[in-house]
Amino acid sequence: MNIELKNVTHKYGSYVAINDLTTTFNEASISMILGPNGCGKTTLLKYLINHCEEYGNSMAYVPQETTGSLNTTVRDVLSLGRYNKSKFYIRETAEDKRIIDEVIAEFGLEDFLSRNVDTLSAGEKQRVFIARAIIQDADWTLLDEPTANLDVKYADKLMRIIKDHRSRGKSFVIVIHDINLASLHADNILLMKSGVKIASGAPSEALTLTSLKSAYDIDFISADIEGHKVFINSVGN
């Protein structure tokens, strides 16, 4: 089912992180949230997780950064994606193994399985934890800056994986800073500033020179390249 937010306000003390936000995240789609630092993007993801029972949806969440020492293998971390409170002490089933092996192949993690997670680079860890979220097979997967530590090759690969799972009926909400990546891959966009919605809708509707200037307080120029609109900020030009 879709997630419909109506007049949501969220505060940290007297600080208003989300202010009277009304928007809809459509199921079986890729929704991306954009906006300047501190505009409420991550707060909104955490709000969705904390209220997931209200929407009747299961959710998996991957923060932008993972901290702390795990001291365990990549394969063991991936296996945790198949365990919830009700089956934590049950052995991995044949179905569990099938799903885990499929995602390992999708993400190209075969050579990492015996490595200790703590020895991985930031980008490698990010791939592992996103893969674990996909293994959870939740209705919704929420990702905070999933391409931040990935090179161009793996950022593109990740988006292809996400689109493949979207085609199977899975839903994604992704916080991202790359306007052009969002323009290319999102089904729907929420553009925010200071906890307020600036624009929303399909990329062609939400991403305009006017809305981007309103959100980022700088001018942009756009160009059509092979049928795809690209945005470049004009600072210094």
Side-chain angles (χ1 to χ4, degrees):
M1 60 184 293
N2 295 344
I3 295 176
E4 296 184 1
L5 303 182
K6 294 183 179 180
N7 308 115
V8 170
T9 295
H10 188 80
K11 298 180 180 180
Y12 297 111
S14 61
Y15 175 70
V16 180
I18 303 175
N19 188 7
D20 196 29
L21 178 67
T22 295
T23 194
T24 298
F25 297 110
N26 295 322
E27 66 176 341
S29 68
I30 301 170
S31 300
M32 295 195 182
I33 306 172
L34 292 94
N37 292 335
C39 73
K41 301 185 298 294
T42 296
T43 297
L44 182 54
L45 285 191
K46 292 179 178 179
Y47 178 91
L48 294 176
I49 286 288
N50 291 333
H51 292 79
C52 63
E53 291 183 1
E54 297 177 18
Y55 316 125
N57 296 299
S58 60
M59 293 186 181
Y61 170 58
V62 182
Q64 181 176 346
E65 296 180 1
T66 56
T67 58
S69 176
L70 289 174
N71 194 30
T72 190
T73 67
V74 168
R75 181 60 172 77
D76 287 342
V77 168
L78 295 175
S79 296
L80 289 174
R82 298 301 299 164
Y83 289 84
N84 55 37
K85 292 180 180 178
S86 65
K87 60 177 286 187
F88 193 79
Y89 295 105
I90 300 177
R91 277 188 181 180
E92 192 176 287
T93 67
E95 177 69 0
D96 292 333
K97 187 176 186 305
R98 180 189 67 79
I99 292 173
I100 293 167
D101 288 345
E102 280 185 2
V103 176
I104 287 170
E106 281 182 320
F107 280 80
L109 296 173
E110 294 88 345
D111 295 337
F112 293 83
L113 298 181
S114 62
R115 286 184 60 181
N116 189 303
V117 173
D118 291 341
T119 69
L120 302 180
S121 69
E124 290 167 343
K125 281 184 179 179
Q126 199 156 23
R127 289 166 58 194
V128 169
F129 284 102
I130 295 171
R132 186 180 70 174
I134 297 293
I135 285 169
Q136 285 183 241
D137 198 31
D139 298 323
W140 291 76
T141 301
L142 279 54
L143 305 174
D144 195 349
E145 282 295 323
T147 61
N149 295 310
L150 301 183
D151 61 30
V152 174
K153 173 184 175 182
Y154 283 107
D156 177 73
K157 185 172 185 175
L158 174 62
M159 288 302 162
R160 286 189 282 110
I161 292 171
I162 288 172
K163 284 184 171 179
D164 179 57
H165 284 267
R166 183 269 316 272
S167 71
R168 305 181 206 176
K170 297 302 180 182
S171 310
F172 294 84
V173 180
I174 302 172
V175 165
I176 198 163
H177 277 295
D178 190 324
I179 296 168
N180 292 314
L181 202 63
S183 176
L184 180 62
H185 294 291
D187 296 311
N188 300 285
I189 285 174
L190 170 63
L191 183 62
M192 298 178 65
K193 179 183 180 182
S194 302
V196 175
K197 178 173 72 175
I198 297 297
S200 64
S204 60
E205 301 168 347
L207 297 179
T208 67
L209 298 180
T210 300
S211 67
L212 290 172
K213 183 174 183 179
S214 295
Y216 294 97
D217 294 322
I218 57 174
D219 290 314
F220 286 78
I221 58 176
S222 65
D224 288 313
I225 300 178
E226 297 183 352
H228 173 64
K229 182 167 286 188
V230 173
F231 296 93
I232 305 168
N233 75 67
S234 60
V235 173
N237 291 336

